[in-house]
Amino acid sequence: MPPVPQAVIEFQQLQKSYLVEGRAISALHPLDLTIQAGEVFGIIGHSGAGKSTLIRLINRLEEPSGGRVLIDGQDATALDADGLRALRRRIGMIFQHFNLLSARTVAGNVAFPLELAGTPQAEIDKRVAELLHTVGLEAHAGKYPAQLSGGQKQRVGIARALATRPQILLCDEATSALDPQTTASVLALLGRINRELGLTIVLITHEMDVIRRVCDRVAVLDAGRLVELGPVTNVFLHPQHATTRRFVTESEHVDAGEQLRDYASVNGRIVRLTFLGEDTYEPLLGRVARETGVDYNILTGRIDRIKDTPYGQLTVALVGGDQDAAQAMFANAGVHVEELRR
């Protein structure tokens, strides 16, 4: 029997409002949510959805208007100043705009939280060397932030966040200021850190492709409300809420409505086939065509990965033959079949 997942962060009816011109404006409506130890948990939403507010409530950079945040079962919302300082040493955070100290070197930035904690200098030197090796910046220890690229600055931010050996790493739009290639390398680094250190990572973003690359589960926020939650494979491949569907189509650079209009002149029954895992590479289409007499026309297709899991999604037009039998064969082979037009 697989081990029962252990909750490391729990939101219980958590909410946040701001007073604007004497009126309470809800940034986050009451929500319940559990984040499990060792997972990479994504929070996605458009600007103003409440995602930054939510992540900043974890380490009380924002104070909740109601509800509780539990960290390893401890009520973080009830901590005094000493308890809050101890909590924050267990939680690292990296930011969109890096927040590095310009007058300190790379090594000095990484050392800063250890100095604040009163760590002996010899231990600081050893820890900084370890962390710069982890993020691949050993050769840049003596440089200043102005001499670094955006990706290098974010790696310094990651090293600094890991300095006090936290259990939780919060990533506040950590890749949105980076180009696509640098984003991919930073996400690969976060994935490696998660695997090697067993760190729980909470990552917020407005890009579904970031979620797809690195996260295990995802929560979708819309106007301060939790509208969808689940494993990334389910949410990405079979989105239920309109906001989630919009994120998925944006990440694939397609407009689902336009596609269906384009298919108006295409003959046949149009279905979307979703393959997951090693079945993605099975020669199923040809076998179905031979056994049912159905011809098929591939209209769109994509084969990629969701974190470490391969997937394929094809939109095809089925023409002639026994189309019901063809759909049944796909379903029996573990393929998810969605009929778009009969």
Side-chain angles (χ1 to χ4, degrees), residues 9-35:
I9 303 170
E10 295 180 73
F11 302 133
Q12 297 180 346
Q13 286 296 287
L14 190 67
Q15 58 182 297
K16 176 66 178 179
S17 298
Y18 295 97
L19 203 61
V20 180
E21 296 180 352
R23 191 161 60 97
I25 303 296
S26 290
L28 201 63
H29 295 273
L31 63 80
D32 294 293
L33 184 63
T34 298
I35 297 173

Side-chain angles (χ1 to χ4, degrees), residues 22-74:
R23 191 161 60 97
I25 303 296
S26 290
L28 201 63
H29 295 273
L31 63 80
D32 294 293
L33 184 63
T34 298
I35 297 173
Q36 297 163 1
E39 74 175 332
V40 182
F41 189 91
I43 301 170
I44 189 169
H46 290 110
S47 180
K51 56 189 186 297
S52 289
T53 299
L54 181 58
I55 200 172
R56 290 166 69 87
L57 288 167
I58 295 173
N59 58 0
R60 279 180 54 189
L61 291 178
E62 295 272 5
E63 294 292 337
S65 303
R68 302 197 304 166
V69 181
L70 304 183
I71 309 293
D72 284 331
Q74 180 183 38

Side-chain angles (χ1 to χ4, degrees), residues 17-302:
S17 298
Y18 295 97
L19 203 61
V20 180
E21 296 180 352
R23 191 161 60 97
I25 303 296
S26 290
L28 201 63
H29 295 273
L31 63 80
D32 294 293
L33 184 63
T34 298
I35 297 173
Q36 297 163 1
E39 74 175 332
V40 182
F41 189 91
I43 301 170
I44 189 169
H46 290 110
S47 180
K51 56 189 186 297
S52 289
T53 299
L54 181 58
I55 200 172
R56 290 166 69 87
L57 288 167
I58 295 173
N59 58 0
R60 279 180 54 189
L61 291 178
E62 295 272 5
E63 294 292 337
S65 303
R68 302 197 304 166
V69 181
L70 304 183
I71 309 293
D72 284 331
Q74 180 183 38
D75 186 356
T77 52
L79 294 174
D80 59 15
D82 289 339
L84 186 56
R85 278 193 291 272
L87 173 72
R88 286 175 176 166
R89 283 196 289 271
R90 295 160 52 201
I91 301 175
M93 191 164 188
I94 59 176
F95 304 88
Q96 177 180 358
H97 296 298
F98 321 125
N99 290 11
L100 301 181
L101 300 170
S102 60
R104 278 183 167 245
T105 63
V106 166
N109 269 276
V110 177
F112 189 59
L114 295 169
E115 294 169 4
L116 291 179
T119 307
Q121 189 60 49
E123 190 176 330
I124 290 176
D125 293 342
K126 180 181 178 184
R127 181 67 177 150
V128 169
E130 289 173 354
L131 289 167
L132 292 182
H133 176 73
T134 296
V135 301
L137 291 178
E138 306 100 309
H140 302 277
K143 291 184 178 179
Y144 289 86
Q147 299 172 286
L148 304 178
S149 68
Q152 289 169 335
K153 289 177 184 177
Q154 196 56 284
R155 287 171 180 267
V156 177
I158 292 170
R160 180 183 60 187
L162 297 176
T164 58
R165 292 184 168 84
Q167 299 166 284
I168 299 166
L169 180 63
L170 307 180
C171 305
D172 188 357
E173 294 276 12
T175 60
S176 63
L178 305 176
D179 62 72
Q181 184 175 354
T182 307
T183 292
S185 69
V186 168
L187 292 177
L189 173 60
L190 290 173
R192 179 163 62 83
I193 288 168
N194 167 253
R195 290 190 303 273
E196 293 178 359
L197 303 182
L199 211 60
T200 302
I201 298 178
V202 184
L203 181 153
I204 69 168
T205 182
H206 60 275
E207 299 177 82
M208 198 66 181
D209 202 49
V210 169
I211 299 291
R212 178 183 65 82
R213 286 172 183 261
V214 74
C215 295
D216 300 299
R217 290 195 302 141
V218 61
V220 183
L221 297 184
D222 183 43
R225 299 183 189 277
L226 178 63
V227 297
E228 194 156 354
L229 171 68
V232 174
T233 49
N234 292 353
V235 173
F236 184 81
L237 296 175
H238 312 297
Q240 301 300 306
H241 192 272
T243 297
T244 316
R245 289 195 292 270
R246 198 155 56 244
F247 276 120
V248 171
T249 55
E250 286 170 0
S251 74
E252 296 180 337
H253 307 291
V254 298
D255 183 307
E258 282 186 9
Q259 279 192 338
L260 283 175
R261 287 192 293 274
D262 290 343
Y263 300 157
S265 60
V266 175
N267 292 326
R269 182 185 302 184
I270 298 178
V271 297
R272 181 180 292 122
L273 307 174
T274 302
F275 305 78
L276 195 61
E278 294 307 314
D279 290 342
T280 302
Y281 306 117
E282 289 297 313
L284 184 60
L285 283 173
R287 189 163 74 245
V288 170
R290 287 192 300 273
E291 295 187 19
T292 64
V294 170
D295 288 328
Y296 59 87
N297 178 17
I298 298 177
L299 304 176
T300 63
R302 177 174 181 172

